[in-house]
Amino acid sequence: MATIKPFKGLRPDPSLAAKVASRPYDVLSSDEARDAAANNPYSFYHISKSEIDLPAGTDVHSQQVYDTAASNLQRFIKEGILLQDEQPVYYIYKLLMDGRAQTGLVAVSAVADYNNGLIKKHEFTRPDKELDRINHIKTTSAQTGNVFLAYNDVPELSSIIDHWQEQHAPVYDFTADDNIQHTIWIVDAPSTVADISSLFARKVPHTYIADGHHRAASASLVQKELQASRKITGAEDPANYFLTTIFPASQLAILDYNRVVKDLNGLSKEAFLSQLDYDFTVEEIGHLPQAPSMLHEFSMYLDGRWYRLVAKEGTYTTDPIGILDVTILSNNILDKILGIKDQRTDKRIDFVGGIRGLQELVKRVDSGEMKIAFALYPVTIQQLFDIADSGNVMPPKSTWFEPKLRDGLITHLI
């Protein structure tokens, strides 16, 4: 069964929570973070994207950046911007976006569960992104990025969480600049903490990584390195656990994760469209963006025009991986026609989260930065679970979850 624990979270003074809270470090650029933190000395970007405090053009993977993050974290603690709870507790984290709520339990999960497959994965990770988080964790001695986990619903656990919200006031409750409401409760009653731990141990055999594969992998690698150097003091050492927020599957929604490509692999527009005809029915639909309306349907933007592509029978299989639209696109267009063999490493392709909308695809292509864009129908949570259960992995950047947790509201010190 999966193992979780309460912990002594490092979190903002309640009067500063809205100013501290920041979007996840990996969903915006350094320039975007610098703009977002302008005139806000409390922004967690000073820790999670600390290059904003260094000259523009500084290598974001340099040790200077990680040292600055560590220095800023210690300053936030010294100045009382961040405070640590005195006793191990759980936290309830509710997000409200466009009228839809999802409520998770913030806990630390066992690195051993990640290593042993009780925390199931659906993506490969990139070594360069792992190394970035490893260096950040080691230098700051903190896990500042939350790993977003999902589990099959447990009604008894949901009942405890609902009851606590009804009976207690939140410690934080604010609406961020993107209109997402963030509300957090501290679960500090020893009996309730024990009930949650016991129920989870009995009812949740495993969890699934929804978002945060690199953060989880980095926590595991840091733990391994600390064990090898004998810097871990025992089984309960904080480095044996990593920061997670765990949501019941029924509350989650996955958005599309779209692709933009720099060129047509030496083909003319006409030759490219001709090759598409082998595996797709192709229909030009005009200048206005139109999202796919069902599985196996794609929207494509090329030279100022939108096209609808529908995969023909025989272009996909019915196994958990083969039936995915990201697999159909990867096999029949990105690889077969455009020559993109490895989306994790090929510099000709980039990924655009669905939260940015189809206009972001138009912008990237019309600017001349990219040549062509593809919009996909979202993966379902059940598809994600099926793939993770089968031991397979999705193609890179298959899922985009919204709303996203804010960095800085709860940090795990190791």
Side-chain angles (χ1 to χ4, degrees):
M1 305 297 279
T3 300
I4 63 168
K5 284 181 50 177
F7 67 106
K8 300 176 184 179
L10 182 71
R11 54 186 182 81
D13 179 291
S15 66
L16 299 174
K19 293 181 178 180
V20 170
S22 303
R23 294 165 62 200
Y25 75 94
D26 55 352
V27 302
L28 75 171
S29 68
S30 300
D31 288 339
E32 289 172 328
R34 188 173 288 107
D35 290 343
N39 303 314
N40 180 7
Y42 306 109
S43 171
F44 204 74
Y45 291 133
H46 294 291
I47 296 163
S48 63
K49 301 280 290 184
S50 55
E51 66 269 18
I52 68 173
D53 293 330
L54 297 169
T58 298
D59 180 0
V60 297
H61 299 127
S62 67
Q63 187 58 42
Q64 184 183 16
V65 170
Y66 305 120
D67 288 340
T68 300
S71 175
N72 287 343
L73 177 61
Q74 292 305 311
R75 177 174 60 81
F76 273 39
I77 295 172
K78 182 178 180 180
E79 295 178 359
I81 299 168
L82 298 177
L83 310 167
Q84 187 172 24
D85 285 308
E86 295 182 358
Q87 299 297 326
V89 297
Y90 287 121
Y91 306 85
I92 296 169
Y93 191 161
K94 178 181 177 182
L95 301 101
L96 182 65
M97 174 182 173
D98 298 332
R100 183 180 65 82
Q102 63 184 55
T103 303
L105 180 71
V106 186
V108 288
S109 294
V111 170
D113 284 355
Y114 175 85
N115 294 338
N116 297 332
L118 291 180
I119 298 174
K120 299 194 175 188
K121 318 163 189 67
H122 67 267
E123 284 186 5
F124 286 125
T125 53
R126 288 169 45 182
D128 58 332
K129 294 189 70 175
E130 286 179 3
L131 183 59
D132 171 56
R133 284 304 93 185
I134 289 168
N135 289 334
H136 194 277
I137 293 170
K138 286 168 54 180
T139 306
T140 61
S141 296
Q143 296 160 354
T144 61
N146 214 312
V147 178
F148 182 160
L149 299 181
Y151 65 98
N152 285 304
D153 290 41
V154 177
E156 301 97 321
L157 185 55
S158 296
S159 178
I160 291 175
I161 290 173
D162 291 345
H163 182 73
W164 189 272
Q165 293 176 79
E166 293 167 1
Q167 299 297 317
H168 299 81
V171 65
Y172 308 131
D173 188 11
F174 64 91
T175 300
D177 53 10
D178 55 3
N179 293 318
I180 297 174
Q181 184 177 351
H182 300 260
T183 311
I184 292 180
W185 291 259
I186 298 175
V187 183
D188 53 4
S191 60
T192 305
V193 168
D195 287 345
I196 290 173
S197 299
S198 173
L199 193 57
F200 206 89
R202 290 184 289 110
K203 296 284 188 176
V204 183
H206 46 253
T207 56
Y208 301 82
I209 298 179
D211 194 10
H213 283 80
H214 290 92
R215 280 159 270 175
S218 299
S220 172
L221 292 167
V222 168
Q223 184 234 30
K224 183 177 181 180
E225 183 175 327
L226 293 176
Q227 279 186 329
S229 61
R230 299 186 178 181
K231 292 182 179 179
I232 286 183
T233 57
E236 296 307 306
D237 190 289
N240 289 324
Y241 296 85
F242 63 103
L243 179 64
T244 57
T245 301
I246 312 167
F247 291 89
S250 64
Q251 296 185 17
L252 301 181
I254 303 177
L255 301 186
D256 44 310
Y257 213 152
N258 303 315
R259 273 79 169 136
V260 286
V261 180
K262 289 183 179 293
D263 58 67
L264 297 183
N265 197 29
L267 297 172
S268 66
K269 173 183 174 181
E270 293 72 24
F272 174 74
L273 291 173
S274 177
Q275 291 202 28
L276 283 180
D277 282 332
Y278 287 105
D279 297 314
F280 300 86
T281 59
V282 181
E283 174 190 1
E284 185 175 332
I285 55 178
H287 295 288
L288 297 178
Q290 185 172 322
S293 60
M294 61 182 182
L295 287 171
H296 308 338
E297 179 181 300
F298 306 82
S299 295
M300 181 180 76
Y301 185 65
L302 174 64
D303 282 355
R305 308 290 291 183
W306 283 92
Y307 298 79
R308 178 184 294 112
L309 313 180
V310 179
K312 296 178 180 178
E313 289 188 14
T315 59
Y316 54 89
T317 60
T318 58
D319 63 272
I321 293 291
I323 201 169
L324 292 175
D325 284 351
V326 287
T327 302
I328 296 170
L329 179 73
S330 298
N331 291 345
N332 298 289
I333 298 180
L334 299 179
D335 184 347
K336 183 177 179 179
I337 301 177
L338 296 179
I340 296 172
K341 306 294 183 182
D342 187 348
Q343 295 178 57
R344 295 186 301 152
T345 59
D346 198 308
K347 302 300 184 183
R348 295 168 53 221
I349 190 169
D350 200 7
F351 308 90
V352 181
I355 192 66
R356 293 182 177 266
L358 298 186
Q359 285 297 336
E360 180 68 14
L361 303 182
V362 172
K363 176 183 174 182
R364 298 285 295 273
V365 172
D366 285 354
S367 70
E369 175 197 3
M370 296 292 179
K371 178 64 176 177
I372 191 168
F374 301 94
L376 289 79
Y377 192 77
V379 172
T380 68
I381 192 71
Q382 189 57 54
Q383 285 180 315
L384 185 153
F385 282 7
D386 289 345
I387 288 166
D389 286 339
S390 72
N392 288 303
V393 295
M394 292 182 181
K397 304 297 183 184
S398 296
T399 58
W400 182 279
F401 284 87
E402 287 287 348
K404 292 190 178 296
L405 307 166
R406 289 272 162 155
D407 283 353
L409 291 177
I410 305 173
T411 293
H412 179 225
L413 298 179
I414 65 165

